[in-house]
Amino acid sequence: MSENAQQARRDAFGTDAFSKGAARNLELGDELIVNAVDALVDANVMPCDLADNSDALAVDGAAILMAIGSRQTEAASILRVTRRLSTMPFEFEIGDPAEPVADRFNLFPEEAAYSFGSDLAAVLKNMWQAARGTTKKLKGVSITMAWSDERASHLFGAIEQGKGGRQRIYSSEPSQWPTKSDTPFGGIIYSPKALLRFAAHLDATMAGTAASLDEVVALHGRRP
């Protein structure tokens, strides 16, 4: 990756337009977004230095979603919880993969990666691929991040497709996913529409810069 692309993302993340747009698309408060983004940039966690623009933006976008999902206000706490969310190992999957449908793009990650953060980045990349494809019908996903108590002793994550459908589970503590009778102490759920809007916002923000996602167009083609 060129230093120009990394700098373009750093410049964009520092603007009011980016934070306000992210807040609007995720239907969250501006301050929550600003605190999350500033904590990541100030600690040099973001922007990352991956060579491919779409890989790099997907990792940065996933980091932003997890930093917001930390629900923390202090930078040190945001970073601590974000790292724990990102490195949560894959635990298990519920439900069977649906049969491929020709006119519907599946946003669910093809294969489970080692960590929650990696699979969340894969979801964003799938959204950019879908946006440049020939079909407008999507099989969207929702993202859940939660913790067990006020000290966040156990963190949990889920990627879910459809109510009661396919679900991939992650946990900071093996075999500690809560049962249906348990109520998480806190957390966040990103709806399929919110995630699509956020992914589109990331894409549009980088358009025309050294960090643009033009290579996604080259690989997957534009809509006719």
Side-chain angles (χ1 to χ4, degrees), residues 16 23 32 45-46 58 60 68 90 110 114 131-132 136 161 186 204:
D16 288 341
L32 183 63
V45 173
M46 185 181 76
D60 287 345
I68 296 167
F90 166 70
E110 290 186 8
Y114 172 74
R132 290 160 169 80
K136 296 181 180 179
Q161 192 167 60

Side-chain angles (χ1 to χ4, degrees), residues 89-158:
F90 166 70
E91 286 283 302
F92 57 89
E93 189 169 306
I94 301 171
D96 297 323
E99 291 295 326
V101 179
D103 66 343
R104 194 173 291 270
F105 195 102
N106 191 355
L107 299 180
F108 207 91
E110 290 186 8
E111 297 180 1
Y114 172 74
S115 70
F116 180 67
S118 297
D119 278 356
L120 185 49
V123 169
L124 292 175
K125 286 195 67 175
N126 285 346
M127 290 178 178
W128 297 325
Q129 180 179 341
R132 290 160 169 80
T134 57
T135 178
K136 296 181 180 179
K137 295 181 179 180
L138 305 175
K139 295 187 66 176
V141 298
S142 62
I143 304 292
T144 297
M145 303 174 201
W147 50 89
S148 59
D149 53 46
E150 62 182 359
R151 299 180 61 186
S153 300
H154 298 157
L155 297 176
F156 313 104

